[in-house]
Amino acid sequence: MSEVPAPLVVVGAGVAGLSVALAAAPRRVLLFSRAAGDGATALAQGGIAAALAPDDDPDQHAADTLAAGAAHNDAALVSRLVNGAPEAIRWLAARGVPFDREGSGWQLGREGGHQRARIVHAGGDASGRELLAALSGAVATAPHIERREGWTLRSLRLQDGRIAGVGLARTTGRGEVQIETPDVVLATGGIGALFAATTNPPGADGAGLAIALAAGAAARDLEFVQFHPTALAVPGLRPLPLVTEALRGAGAVLRDAQGRALMAGVHPLADLAPRDRVARRIWSELRSGGEAWLDATALDASAWRQFPTVRSLCLAHGIDPRVQPIPVTPAAHFHMGGIAVDARGRSRLPGLHAVGEVSCSGVHGANRLASNSLLEGVVFGRRLGEWLRKPGVSPRTNVAAQSVVLAPAAAEPALLQLREWLWQGLGPVRDEATMRHALARIDAHAGLSESWQAGLARQLLLSAIARRESLGAHHRVDVSPDSSIHQRIATPAYGENN
Ligand SMILES: Cc1cc2nc3c(=O)[nH]c(=O)nc-3n(C[C@H](O)[C@H](O)[C@H](O)COP(=O)(O)OP(=O)(O)OC[C@H]3O[C@@H](n4cnc5c(N)ncnc54)[C@H](O)[C@@H]3O)c2cc1C
């Protein structure tokens, strides 16, 4: 009797998980997620970066990626990412992503930190939604994939020092499933929902990262959190709608309450400076009692046709951005850190793989270049799927197995506090006293301190305290600027390329 090969279990069905699942054919894949389209992928507006213009090439894309990442990136992986980009766009187009066209080619936008127009988009600023729809359609017709929605990761089963299976629970009501497999891929997205101000959906809570670390995977670069400089500032709203950077690429200007250009003299690229620089400028303005507005009133009607999502989001909150400036605030947006993985997506725990925002391969360095993360999900997700076509090594079954279960979750009122402390302590501008204060408050909170969210928050704070320098998105005001290699590397790189 021939044995049925173990399935590949993929947890997470955003761009990364879908790409893994599709590429793993013909191996049987069980693809789990909490809910359809609940991840960050559906919210992506700007698009995907690829060097496709005649005046562009992957080396320039790599140079911009390294400059944004403060050269903290893994250069070999950056090269793999940018060289894989044009083919990734063709692969997506072949799966039905309706990229916006201009003449005989694709329309290319420009975003912060990019020296060239290289952002491919779909449905104007509905790129993520279109991408998700096309890949979900491809998954629905792929005979090797069994898709299961309404499940949340609960445990990882370990045996013989490696992954032996995974446990998932129903998100609504009762029901659990245990699956034996030597290969689990976590593609569970980022951690933005742990912050008071965020552009991330509620599901970007870091549960996948927390359970991987509890099971023995290593963390990397946890302190690097990117803050999007321009979320729509609507008090009390979660997530905050994103006002895409592409709007600044099309000519919108950040202004203070007096109408002065906020980024003038701050960086050679002014409004298109890397996100951390723009976010810190706005954070300082707001902290000192000022205001920050994005003025897009000079855009003409044809430019506005590219931004239907931003326009309708603003209108829904009583702002007509064609004639009024848009109030903006920084917000937690993307996690560069995560489960440490090697070039093949392998964590330290044999059999446990990670890809997409939950992972940290080092490709984004200390700060992600805009529109490189959907790209990461496609390029690295497909490669990982191809590698996992063959089942990995099964554990010896004559040794004891153990299940690592996620600690209990905190209740909502405690989480509200946690988000505020993380926002104050791990926001765009940091110092040790505020971070230690956040740690102490978390430890002293009876309803919070034993939760998995508190455990993860501690690891984030301790990583940020341990890095005693300013680098990329991690900006410390309590360390001497001389210890900041960011200042030495990032600024000249922009000057030279201009
Ligand atoms: C508003 C916004 C705009 C953005 N715009 C762009 C852009 O224009 N270009 C760009 O490149 N990037 C953009 N990004 C970043 C990009 O969208 C994300 O980094 C990327 O989509 C992450 O993809 P992912 O597959 O790793 O995770 P996600 O798309 O977040 O998917 C996570 C999946 O994991 C599942 N999941 C999570 N936790 C669990 C659990 N515990 N158990 C079971 N399942 C779980 C979820 O159900 C979901 O299916 C944007 C992000 C935001 C928030």
Side-chain angles (χ1 to χ4, degrees):
M1 198 174 73
S2 69
E3 229 177 81
V4 181
L8 169 64
V9 174
V10 180
V11 184
V15 60
L18 293 167
S19 300
V20 173
L22 286 167
R27 184 174 178 189
R28 185 170 161 244
V29 175
L30 301 180
L31 174 63
F32 287 93
S33 63
R34 285 183 175 144
D38 65 335
T41 299
L43 301 180
Q45 294 181 1
I48 309 183
L52 294 163
D55 66 344
D56 200 4
D57 61 49
D59 287 348
Q60 297 190 54
H61 187 180
D64 288 347
T65 301
L66 292 165
H72 185 63
N73 319 58
D74 180 318
L77 285 184
V78 170
S79 170
R80 195 167 290 165
L81 181 79
V82 298
N83 281 293
E87 202 274 320
I89 300 297
R90 288 191 286 274
W91 182 79
L92 288 168
R95 263 134 209 93
V97 181
F99 289 121
D100 298 329
R101 301 194 73 86
E102 189 167 62
S104 57
W106 287 306
Q107 196 177 53
L108 300 174
R110 190 173 166 206
E111 289 187 337
H114 289 272
Q115 305 280 343
R116 296 282 182 277
R118 62 166 76 98
I119 315 300
V120 184
H121 46 87
D125 55 6
S127 304
R129 207 169 58 217
E130 295 289 359
L131 185 150
L132 201 64
L135 292 190
S136 297
V139 160
T141 56
H144 69 288
I145 303 173
E146 195 180 313
R147 185 165 182 174
R148 301 186 187 176
E149 283 157 4
W151 293 91
T152 190
L153 179 63
R154 212 179 116 61
S155 61
L156 291 172
R157 189 157 169 269
L158 312 183
Q159 193 169 23
D160 195 18
R162 51 182 309 121
I163 285 285
V166 60
L168 295 112
R170 279 241 172 249
T171 48
T172 52
R174 277 195 237 153
E176 282 200 22
V177 63
Q178 300 287 336
I179 297 151
E180 277 186 34
T181 176
D183 305 302
V184 172
V185 175
L186 295 185
T188 48
I191 58 159
L194 291 175
F195 289 80
T198 183
T199 63
N200 284 197
D205 59 5
L209 172 58
I211 197 164
L213 301 187
R220 177 170 174 188
D221 287 351
L222 290 185
E223 63 275 24
F224 294 111
V225 178
Q226 180 176 85
F227 297 90
H228 197 286
T230 55
L232 184 65
V234 180
L237 200 64
R238 270 181 78 76
L240 293 172
L242 184 73
V243 181
T244 175
E245 218 150 22
L247 209 57
R248 277 177 279 137
V253 176
L254 285 161
R255 300 192 187 282
D256 65 12
Q258 284 71 43
R260 291 178 296 231
L262 266 176
M263 291 304 295
V266 175
H267 191 278
L269 289 175
D271 286 278
L272 292 178
R275 288 182 170 168
D276 60 319
R277 304 296 291 273
V278 184
R280 287 203 297 276
R281 179 71 190 92
I282 298 177
W283 169 276
S284 311
E285 188 65 19
L286 297 177
R287 287 277 147 149
S288 60
E291 295 170 10
W293 302 89
L294 184 62
D295 179 2
T297 55
L299 270 63
D300 61 18
S302 79
W304 272 115
R305 274 196 287 280
Q306 288 176 48
F307 304 109
T309 308
V310 172
R311 213 178 63 213
S312 60
L313 280 173
C314 289
L315 288 173
H317 292 92
I319 302 147
D320 184 345
R322 291 166 300 187
V323 293
Q324 288 172 278
I326 306 166
V328 289
T329 173
H333 186 57
F334 182 84
H335 195 198
M336 277 70 73
I339 303 168
V341 292
D342 66 9
R344 296 185 58 137
R346 293 176 291 207
S347 78
R348 182 173 70 183
L349 176 60
L352 185 68
H353 300 76
V355 67
E357 198 171 332
V358 72
S359 69
C360 179
S361 62
V363 73
H364 300 299
N367 203 3
R368 173 194 64 134
L369 182 66
S371 288
N372 264 357
S373 48
L374 293 177
L375 180 63
E376 174 196 20
V378 177
V379 173
F380 292 171
R382 286 175 65 204
R383 281 171 63 90
L384 182 55
E386 285 162 15
W387 281 317
L388 290 173
R389 281 176 186 165
K390 276 201 350 222
V393 179
S394 290
R396 287 174 298 152
T397 49
N398 58 347
V399 282
Q402 73 171 116
S403 266
V404 176
V405 182
L406 199 59
E412 189 57 26
L415 285 177
L416 272 175
Q417 299 247 263
L418 178 78
R419 292 180 196 130
E420 193 51 44
W421 293 331
L422 283 186
W423 180 239
Q424 299 303 333
L426 285 183
V429 176
R430 301 167 173 179
D431 64 79
E432 182 160 348
T434 317
M435 292 190 277
R436 292 228 174 262
H437 181 69
L439 272 177
R441 301 291 295 268
I442 291 168
D443 289 344
H445 193 295
L448 192 58
S449 59
E450 300 299 318
S451 67
W452 67 259
Q453 288 98 337
L456 185 55
R458 277 188 202 103
Q459 298 196 58
L460 295 166
L461 284 159
L462 289 171
S463 299
I465 289 169
R467 186 174 289 281
R468 291 197 49 78
E469 64 177 347
S470 287
L471 187 68
H474 172 69
H475 188 74
R476 295 272 301 255
V477 286
D478 58 342
V479 293
S480 134
D482 291 347
S483 63
S484 164
I485 67 167
H486 170 67
Q487 304 300 330
R488 293 203 297 275
I489 293 171
T491 307
Y494 277 95
E496 282 156 19
N497 288 339
N498 264 341

